[in-house]
Amino acid sequence: MDTIKKLFAQKLMDIKAIKLQPQEPFTWASGWKSPIYTDNRKTLGHAEVRSFVKLELCHAIQQHFPEAEAVAGVATGAIAQGALVADELGLPYAYVRPKPKDHGMGNQVEGELKQGAKVVVVEDLISTGGSSLKTVAALRAYGVEVVGMVASFTYGFPVAEEAFREANVKLITLSDYNAVLEQAAATGYIKPEEIEVLTEWRKNPGGWKV
């Protein structure tokens, strides 16, 4: 497995941005019961991890999307990371709201992007992919070309992978659910018998029961 994925997974667990509780699951806003909770915003409060995320997202863009002419962050989770990345790369930046404002100019894309510009999207967390791909749709409607997306973490749900394929969006992430499980098992964070429970959850998160 990619070294960066395992390294970042460990960093996220170290700062408790990721918590695993297969026996005492969390409840997501969607109502799903989940053995994992992820809050990547915690990386902003840790200078070393924040810098790691910024630089590795930049490296991912340079490697996979070298043609990018601008950066767009997904509100609200990736506004800060997107701005940090754009600043490091010296590129124009904007962020995208979930929906247009209901006052003022009614903007959904905040900032300024040139029409036809090649834009890479910076996201925080990929679950089902719905909100991330709504951002892509908004940018396309705005008149720019989305060359791809980079994100800190993905659960790797099959529904998300299919949605990204259908939307023709290439996704690159710094870490993922598999890397977290591997590191958690290697460090004794979880018991070997809990791996199967955590693996089964990802197959059907909406219908999973303890």
Side-chain angles (χ1 to χ4, degrees):
M1 184 176 290
D2 188 283
T3 301
I4 292 297
K5 286 187 176 183
K6 291 192 289 186
L7 178 60
F8 188 39
Q10 189 61 56
K11 288 178 183 292
L12 290 174
M13 288 189 288
D14 287 344
I15 65 170
K16 295 181 171 56
I18 284 182
K19 294 182 180 180
L20 294 169
Q21 294 181 187
Q23 303 308 321
E24 299 178 51
F26 302 95
T27 302
W28 285 5
S30 62
W32 287 3
K33 294 296 182 181
S34 169
I36 182 172
Y37 187 77
T38 307
D39 182 6
N40 288 337
R41 291 177 180 84
K42 284 184 175 290
T43 62
L44 297 171
H46 299 264
E48 185 271 332
V49 184
R50 184 178 68 234
S51 181
F52 177 92
V53 172
K54 175 187 70 174
L55 293 177
E56 291 305 326
L57 287 174
C58 287
H59 293 160
I61 291 170
Q62 290 168 329
Q63 179 180 350
H64 297 280
F65 310 110
E67 71 275 31
E69 300 169 326
V71 176
V74 180
T76 59
I79 290 177
Q81 286 92 340
L84 289 166
V85 166
D87 189 61
E88 182 71 18
L89 295 175
L91 294 176
Y93 177 65
Y95 71 85
V96 184
R97 296 174 176 272
K99 60 183 181 180
K101 287 197 298 186
D102 58 6
H103 60 281
M105 299 294 290
N107 293 338
Q108 184 169 10
V109 178
E110 298 284 11
E112 188 172 352
L113 300 171
K114 290 183 178 179
Q115 293 293 292
K118 293 178 170 61
V119 177
V120 63
V121 179
V122 174
E123 177 60 294
D124 173 43
L125 173 69
I126 307 293
S127 54
T128 62
S131 59
S132 305
L133 292 174
K134 284 180 182 177
T135 293
V136 171
L139 287 166
R140 288 170 172 168
Y142 181 85
V144 299
E145 178 187 347
V146 176
V147 297
M149 184 181 296
V150 294
S152 294
F153 185 83
T154 180
Y155 291 111
F157 293 145
V159 64
E161 294 175 350
E162 179 60 26
F164 273 84
R165 279 194 295 271
E166 289 183 358
N168 193 29
V169 177
K170 181 178 180 180
L171 173 66
I172 302 297
T173 64
L174 299 189
S175 194
D176 56 32
Y177 191 66
N178 288 338
V180 167
L181 293 193
E182 184 172 325
Q183 284 301 106
T187 59
Y189 188 136
I190 56 175
K191 300 173 184 176
E193 59 268 25
E194 291 175 324
I195 291 289
E196 184 176 352
V197 174
L198 291 160
T199 302
E200 286 301 311
W201 167 77
R202 187 172 61 178
K203 292 178 182 177
N204 181 25
W208 183 76
K209 292 182 174 62
V210 183

